[in-house]
């Protein structure tokens, strides 16, 4: 049997305040966004930090919605639907917020993602701003469903380098984890 009390204790010890794993819908993300906004209000953050946390949350959730290779299928009566799947974790350590997301990606996109994030991690704030403007005009990912600005937006708002892992899975898929830290000193 699953021990909810032990799980709750581990979440508290890890400073995790919000967790979700499962299918994602744009409408459902609105509920998480409302919860996050309330949390940021209660934490009485400076407006700029609250906006950075919220922006990183939105970008990471959008990335999972658009690019998760794992889908859950639903069928009820004549209605059929599918939803991308992913995991979202948010927590607070001192005055720093951390947001971690995870989802399956096709193996063919791993090198592109790695190169993109590694490149962004080499840029300073001014260079990120210039790169953002340049990328709005061109798109270097033919599989992209957007302008490829999400990772740039995250890089512009984090307080340290973007961290990530790729864990090989099976059947041509890899589990992609993205970790972002926003805010003041730990």
């Amino acid at each position: 049997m699953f021990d909810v009390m032990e799980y709750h204790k581990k979440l508290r010890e890890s400073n995790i305040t919000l967790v979700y794993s499962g299918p994602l819908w744009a409408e459902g993300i609105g509920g998480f966004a409302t919860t996050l906004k309330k949390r940021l209000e209660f934490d009485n953050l400076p407006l700029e930090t609250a906006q950075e946390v919220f922006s990183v949350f939105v970008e990471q959730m959008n990335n999972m919605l658009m690019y998760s290779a794992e889908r859950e299928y639903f069928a009820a009566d004549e209605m059929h639907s599918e939803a991308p799947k992913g995991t979202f974790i948010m927590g607070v350590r001192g005055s720093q917020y951390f947001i971690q997301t995870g989802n399956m990606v096709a193996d063919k996109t791993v090198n592109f993602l790695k190169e993109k994030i590694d490149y962004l991690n080499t840029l300073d704030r001014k260079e990120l701003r210039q790169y953002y403007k340049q990328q709005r005009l061109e798109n270097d990912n033919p599989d992209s469903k957007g302008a490829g600005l999400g990772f740039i937006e995250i890089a512009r708002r984090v307080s340290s380098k973007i961290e990530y892992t790729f864990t090989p899975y099976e059947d041509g898929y890899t589990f992609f984890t993205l970790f972002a830290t926003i805010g003041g000193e730990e």
Side-chain angles (χ1 to χ4, degrees):
M1 183 162 90
F2 184 75
D3 186 345
V4 175
M5 290 294 289
E6 186 62 29
Y7 179 73
H8 181 70
K9 180 181 175 187
K10 287 181 181 182
L11 289 175
R12 270 195 343 260
E13 290 170 354
S14 300
N15 300 306
I16 294 173
T17 58
L18 186 60
V19 176
Y20 177 77
S21 184
L24 302 165
W25 292 272
E27 301 84 11
I29 290 172
F32 290 124
T34 299
T35 299
L36 177 57
K37 282 181 184 179
K38 284 292 181 195
R39 171 65 196 231
L40 297 173
E41 285 175 24
F42 289 130
D43 288 351
N44 202 24
L45 290 176
L47 181 60
E48 183 178 342
T49 303
Q51 289 172 337
E52 288 171 345
V53 170
F54 193 77
S55 179
V56 170
F57 160 80
V58 168
E59 293 300 338
Q60 284 185 264
M61 295 302 277
N62 279 333
N63 282 338
M64 286 194 303
L65 271 175
M66 291 174 41
Y67 300 111
S68 179
E70 184 178 20
R71 303 283 180 183
E72 188 163 328
Y73 297 92
F74 302 91
D77 298 325
E78 307 247 340
M79 209 170 73
H80 300 281
S81 180
E82 71 175 78
K85 291 180 74 172
T87 299
F88 169 81
I89 300 169
M90 189 190 93
V92 182
R93 273 186 255 138
S95 61
Q96 286 189 319
Y97 284 73
F98 60 89
I99 299 174
Q100 181 173 340
T101 53
N103 58 280
M104 290 293 178
V105 295
D107 286 348
K108 68 180 183 175
T109 64
V110 170
N111 284 336
F112 172 81
L113 292 170
K114 183 179 178 345
E115 288 172 6
K116 180 86 164 183
I117 297 168
D118 287 346
Y119 176 69
L120 293 172
N121 280 338
T122 67
L123 302 178
D124 63 25
R125 298 258 184 236
K126 183 179 178 184
E127 292 167 328
L128 283 166
R129 193 170 30 257
Q130 291 171 335
Y131 187 60
Y132 181 87
K133 288 177 185 177
Q134 173 192 346
Q135 289 301 296
R136 284 182 25 194
L137 302 174
E138 59 187 67
N139 184 1
D140 60 352
N141 180 3
D143 293 329
S144 177
K145 297 174 179 98
L149 302 176
F151 287 124
I152 303 169
E153 190 63 30
I154 292 169
R156 291 174 64 192
R157 297 182 180 277
V158 294
S159 52
S160 60
K161 302 297 182 192
I162 297 172
E163 298 176 49
Y164 63 89
T165 60
F166 292 101
T167 307
Y169 192 63
E170 56 189 35
D171 299 327
Y173 295 102
T174 296
F175 194 77
F176 171 48
T177 305
L178 185 71
F179 186 87
T181 304
I182 308 104
E185 299 301 315
E186 209 173 319

